[in-house]
């Protein structure tokens, strides 16, 4: 179901946060990859941080984003442009070392003439199929969605043409996807790009291409993918992957949206600082 309102978003994400807390609290189920840092993060007042590993933190950060966007003047046609480059697909074991700035810089170069607000997110593929031999391995795909304002489809297609031809997340699928956003669905699309990891994706070949791969032949079609909700253990796994990522660093903007993103980040950080100071003042001395 699409998340049409902020209330929908909070109602979906908060239960995930509670599931993760309960999972970490259960000694017999404690996931071996969850170190002390993540356990501490999830058990303290984690809405006081901006860690992408904390689903509680998203429930703090997303309302701030939505409040500022809803009061901003957004003119012209709206498009959601998604970038999914193969070079940002990382093995699960090293995915925590990802830094978003190179990807953001690349997108700023591609869309330097456009105004947009964007978010980088991580998607988990437990059974990633390679394009050459059909073997499988768990990976994390880092990709970005941006919502542009005031740009036409024609100029977006022109400016992303070179990037669209690069090697994409899925073989045979363009690395860039451009879709119009109706103004009445702007909130829904913003909540979509701000969502935490909660689905796992499985790429697969068509039956014909699967046979060709098994015979050592080059597949003719494209890799497709299915998705399903993550079980709690995988949600915790993604928390571990995102343990070094911050929500205020995964959001980015350009043109008319750049000052808006700066205001969002300053508001979030300032609110956290004031909360932490009040908490400190209440502690016994």
């Amino acid at each position: 179901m699409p998340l049409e309102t902020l209330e929908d978003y909070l109602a979906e994400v908060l239960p995930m946060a509670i599931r993760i807390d309960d999972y970490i609290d259960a000694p017999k189920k404690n996931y071996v990859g969850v170190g002390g840092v993540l356990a501490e993060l999830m058990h303290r007042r984690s809405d006081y941080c901006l860690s992408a590993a904390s689903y509680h933190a998203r429930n703090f950060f997303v309302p701030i984003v939505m409040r500022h966007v809803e009061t901003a003047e957004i003119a012209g046609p709206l498009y959601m442009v998604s970038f999914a480059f193969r070079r940002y697909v990382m093995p699960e074991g090293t995915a925590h070392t990802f830094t978003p700035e190179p990807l953001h810089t690349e997108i700023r170069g591609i869309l330097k003439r456009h105004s947009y607000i964007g978010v980088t997110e991580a998607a988990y593929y437990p059974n990633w199929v390679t394009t050459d031999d059909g073997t499988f391995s768990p990976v994390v795909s880092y990709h970005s969605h941006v919502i542009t304002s005031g740009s036409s489809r024609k100029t977006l297609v022109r400016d992303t043409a070179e990037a669209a031809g690069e090697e994409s997340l899925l073989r045979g699928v363009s690395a860039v996807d451009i879709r119009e956003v109706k103004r009445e669905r702007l909130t829904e699309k913003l909540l979509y790009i701000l969502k935490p990891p909660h689905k796992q994706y499985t790429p697969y070949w068509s039956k014909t291409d699967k046979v060709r791969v098994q015979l050592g032949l080059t597949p003719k079609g494209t890799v497709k993918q299915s998705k399903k909700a993550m079980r709690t253990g995988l949600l915790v796994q993604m928390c571990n992957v995102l343990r070094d990522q911050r929500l205020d660093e995964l959001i980015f903007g350009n043109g008319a949206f750049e000052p808006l993103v700066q205001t969002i980040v300053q508001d979030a950080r300032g609110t956290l600082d004031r909360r932490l100071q009040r908490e400190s003042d209440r502690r016994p001395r």
Side-chain angles (χ1 to χ4, degrees):
M1 292 289 292
L3 304 176
E4 297 180 352
T5 67
L6 180 60
E7 288 72 23
D8 291 339
Y9 179 96
L10 298 175
E12 181 167 310
V13 176
L14 182 58
M16 294 184 204
I18 294 172
R19 281 168 54 197
I20 293 169
D21 289 342
D22 291 344
Y23 188 98
I24 295 174
D25 280 337
K28 291 183 179 179
K29 292 184 178 180
N30 203 358
Y31 168 63
V32 67
V34 178
V37 174
L38 177 59
E40 179 185 355
L41 167 70
M42 302 307 296
H43 285 297
R44 66 189 179 91
R45 292 294 302 276
S46 48
D47 55 334
Y48 283 11
C49 71
L50 290 172
S51 171
S54 170
Y55 286 46
H56 296 292
R58 291 178 188 267
N59 281 348
F60 162 79
F61 184 68
V62 171
I64 293 176
V65 175
M66 300 305 299
R67 184 174 71 247
H68 285 284
V69 172
E70 287 169 359
T71 57
E73 294 185 7
I74 302 176
L78 304 173
Y79 287 91
M80 185 166 76
V81 186
S82 302
F83 297 87
F85 299 117
R86 174 63 68 93
R87 57 183 167 276
Y88 294 108
V89 175
M90 305 178 67
E92 180 190 354
T94 60
H96 68 280
T97 64
F98 170 81
T99 54
E101 191 53 39
L103 177 55
H104 293 179
T105 299
E106 189 171 350
I107 293 173
R108 287 190 186 101
I110 297 168
L111 297 179
K112 56 180 176 290
R113 300 181 182 88
H114 304 270
S115 294
Y116 61 81
I117 182 171
V119 178
T120 293
E121 65 170 353
Y124 184 64
Y125 288 77
N127 297 304
W128 175 260
V129 60
T130 65
T131 59
D132 48 3
D133 61 4
T135 57
F136 296 88
S137 61
V139 298
V140 174
S141 166
Y142 288 98
H143 54 281
S144 298
H145 304 286
V146 308
I147 294 178
T148 65
S149 170
S151 299
S152 67
R153 174 181 287 275
K154 182 178 179 180
T155 58
L156 286 169
V157 170
R158 179 197 66 200
D159 292 345
T160 61
E162 184 176 348
E166 296 189 28
E167 192 174 13
S168 67
L169 168 63
L170 297 177
R171 179 187 177 278
V173 178
S174 174
V176 179
D177 181 72
I178 302 172
R179 302 191 184 192
E180 185 178 6
V181 176
K182 300 296 185 183
R183 185 165 294 276
E184 61 270 20
R185 299 189 67 188
L186 176 59
T187 296
E188 176 190 328
K189 294 305 180 183
L190 281 169
L191 292 172
Y192 171 79
I193 69 176
L194 288 162
K195 70 186 184 304
H198 65 291
K199 301 278 189 183
Q200 65 183 69
Y201 301 86
T202 301
Y204 61 92
W205 297 104
S206 67
K207 289 183 179 179
T208 301
D209 275 339
K210 186 175 182 180
V211 173
R212 292 182 64 85
V213 169
Q214 291 171 344
L215 294 174
L217 303 174
T218 302
K220 292 183 176 181
T222 62
V223 179
K224 300 179 181 181
Q225 67 179 10
S226 61
K227 63 181 179 180
K228 65 178 182 179
M230 284 184 178
R231 300 182 67 174
T232 307
L234 282 179
L235 291 178
V236 175
Q237 220 163 308
M238 285 304 295
C239 288
N240 201 28
V241 166
L242 295 172
R243 63 185 183 269
D244 296 325
Q245 306 295 332
R246 288 176 56 90
L247 296 172
D248 52 335
E249 294 174 353
L250 293 175
I251 189 170
F252 63 112
N254 192 61
F257 279 105
E258 189 168 7
L260 176 64
V261 171
Q262 291 173 351
T263 300
I264 290 169
V265 170
Q266 290 170 1
D267 186 1
R269 292 174 179 173
T271 301
L272 289 179
D273 289 343
R274 290 189 293 273
R275 284 188 177 186
L276 289 170
Q277 185 60 53
R278 288 196 298 269
E279 189 80 11
S280 177
D281 292 343
R282 285 196 291 264
R283 291 195 191 110
R285 299 188 182 277

